Amino acid sequence: MKRVLMFSEGNKEMHQLLGGKGAGLAEMTKLGLPVPKGFTITTAAYLAFEKNGNKIAQNLMQEIINTLSNMEKEVNKSFGNIKAPLLISVRSGAPVSMPGMMDTVLNIGLNDQTVEALGKLTNDERFAYDSYRRLLQMFGNVVYGIPEKKFERVLCDIKKIKNYNTDLSLTVDDLKMVIEKFKQIYLLERKRTFPQDPQEQLSAAINAVFLSWNNKRAKIYRKKNGISDKLGTAVNVQEMVFGNAGEFSGTGVIFSRSPSTGARGMYGEYLANAQGEDIVAGGRTPVALERLKRSMPKVYAKLAAMSNKLEQHYHDMQDIEFTIERGEIYLLQARAGKRTSAAAIKIAVDLVNEGIIEKEEGLLRVSPETLEQMLHPDFDQKELQKEVVLATGRPASPGAASGRVYFTAAAAKKAYEKGQEVILVRQNTAADDIEGMVVSEGLVTARGGMTSHAAVVARGLGIVAVVGVNELEIDEQKKIIRINQTVLREGEWLSADGTTGKLYVGKVRTVRATVNKEFSQFLRWAKTAAKVEIYANADTTTDLKAALNFGAEGIGLVRTEHMFFKAQRLHQLRALILAQNAKERDVPLQRLAEMQQEDFYKLYKVAKGKTVTIRLLDAPLHEFLPTTEPEIALIAAQNGRSKGYIQARIAELKETNPMMGHRGCRLAVSFPEIYEMQVEAIILAALKANAEGVRTVPHIMLPLVSLAQEMDWMRDLLDKKVNKLFEKNNVILNYKIGTMIETPRACLIADQIADKADFFSFGTNDLTQLTFGYSRDDIGAFVPEYLNKKILPDDPFQVLDTEGVGRLIKLAIAQGRKNNTALPIGVCGEVGGDPRATAFFERNNITYLSCSPYRVPLVLLRMAQEHLDKRKRDNSIDTQIKK
Ligand code: ADP
Ligand code: MG
Ligand code: MG
């Protein structure tokens, strides 16, 4: 098998073998776009290299040399030739894009002779020597591992002595001197010389780029992004085009849409008279693309047309590297652009609306976690108005971040491990800092643009980034930063707004992000695509409003016990529990009924006819009783009892294992008045809402039922109560009484329970607890060991145990629907966020899932994707059968 392929031999489907970059270069070549000639050494070759003890085998090198000589014929130049020297780049490129994590060497083929030839050929000596010093710099760093700083210092010093502002002022003589100094650095640092033989440069560069697959930052990046260490990288060898050949040359990066917001239209940065590395490595701050539009309008128009063409071809937003050599534009890379959550959603929605992709495809493009990230907090606008803007940089990755400033990746990591929130402040926007970025809330840099690799990585990680803050001076030694007049020491607070690029001293308050137009359209599509309905667990109108905003169908679980903890209510409830007879219970019950009625009425009004499922009280009684001396004294006084009486009552109610004690519907067997009171509140609230035109069907849910007889008894009690209310008010109303299924016994006899229940809802927490016999509050003592020793695959309270608990659920579903195939069956629990659980519930025909409001978007999308995937799988089975 060939291990070296010309760009003209590949295509976009081959990214596994050619790497993303190689496949992209091949595809662009096929499309007839201006791509410098070249070839790709495959990932298979890399794997062989690794197997061979990290050495390039003789026969592979031969294959490379043969392909190179084919390329020489095509471009009519040859490697090392002193009349028409071929110059090349050696570029990394893995199957999964890892921006800036591996290495690349440019300008290979230059040496003391060819540099002169290049100068004569182009009639531009300065350009030739500039390219040579760049080669020495990159080769020294990548192949010999000489720190970048050593070379930078030489450049800095000479600029200082000569009073130059930029590299562009360096003359031919300056550059020749720099080159001499660089050669000395090789000797000093590594006791080696720069290889004059181009062939030797090439094989050393390939070797080093292969090895960069396993450098530290690449490994960290793979780990963070769940990319396999086994893939390996391809290497691309490509003819050089020169962005550093004068004022009509330059380099840049564009995105076919904004990677920060998703806004339509080409978006990017440009540096005149520079090579690509200057931008992507984040050491120089480029200018906006507008500048290119002004200086070379025709080239700009061509670039815009190609950006469009590539987006149409790939059906996705593209990240494109280009270089202009003396007015001629070349494309050097195209890939699906990394983007923020906000951009991911907007782009998916826009591509669908523009007819570029189907709605289903749009839904599959966005990961469910992205939706959650989308809801990360923003700075409170009111607070911001009071703050003084310290400086403004480039808004490279949006959002709000406050943290303590640290100046190195290592210090950031240490602070993070101590539990601090961190803002990493750096000179350059460099990908080397990945280790610090993954632990930081935000990144702030003095130099570098929004298209640099590190900015791309920040957007992918979802951390805030403000880059290229000109006023920022960093003193790593003294551990301080200076911005205009302000000085901040290490560990002091800084806030960065990645949406506006503004910096503020101190910590600024944040608020929850809101849903924008595209987000809600996306959620509506997800809702249509999902077969399972999504409800929210909500006890307040605020929670309900948020949930409805996210597309919830209503409330799947109101936990009424949460409504009793307010002081006034707790007092009434305590009076109720402490009462000795039904008569004494009357007053507190009436008070509580009024309060609950108001609660439910408010929920019904906001729900506007959508389902609100109210669970009757489920809490161990003693939770409502006073525990401290003063509390007991107060309660005694309030209820006209002695302290001794109260203490005795508390002792009576004390349980050894409250989770398995006097709670749920068991409580109502002892104190039927409580459930009757709640049902009265529910019905009266619904009647009131109905009278006001809000059509409401109350859903009443009983907790912790295990026996068919319990269900019968409760149903009887509550139906009677409801009928009395109907008679009294001379109206009737449709209502449902359902039950939680949360004990193993309930699962086993679900058919009997179903006879009296209008709906089921699984409570996965209690069901897991009772199925395993694990007390949820005590698992800390043993579950970690189980996980360590791999006796348990996961914490069953985090990841649904589909094998055991799941088997009970399946049984209960089958039994429950035996006589009523349409029985609605839901799940309320946080397992909705676990992808394995969602797949399980989709397969087993669950009617709805209920989760906390801010999880609704994630679960909604997960269920939509689950269903779309299932349809795809079913279709492919269909076609297989047809064949
Ligand atoms: P990375 O994966 O770090 O982006 P690349 O291989 O893309 O590494 O190269 C780094 C920079 O060098 C990019 O800006 C790229 O466009 C530029 N570059 C690579 N090869 C060439 C070439 N043959 N001619 C001109 N510029 C190049
Ligand atoms: Mg690149
Ligand atoms: Mg429960």
Side-chain angles (χ1 to χ4, degrees), residues 397-413:
S397 180
S402 292
R404 299 170 185 276
V405 297
Y406 287 93
F407 306 117
T408 60
K413 212 172 143 205

Side-chain angles (χ1 to χ4, degrees), residues 123 283 313 377 419 643 757 830:
N123 212 359
H313 183 71
K643 264 168 49 178
E830 290 311 312

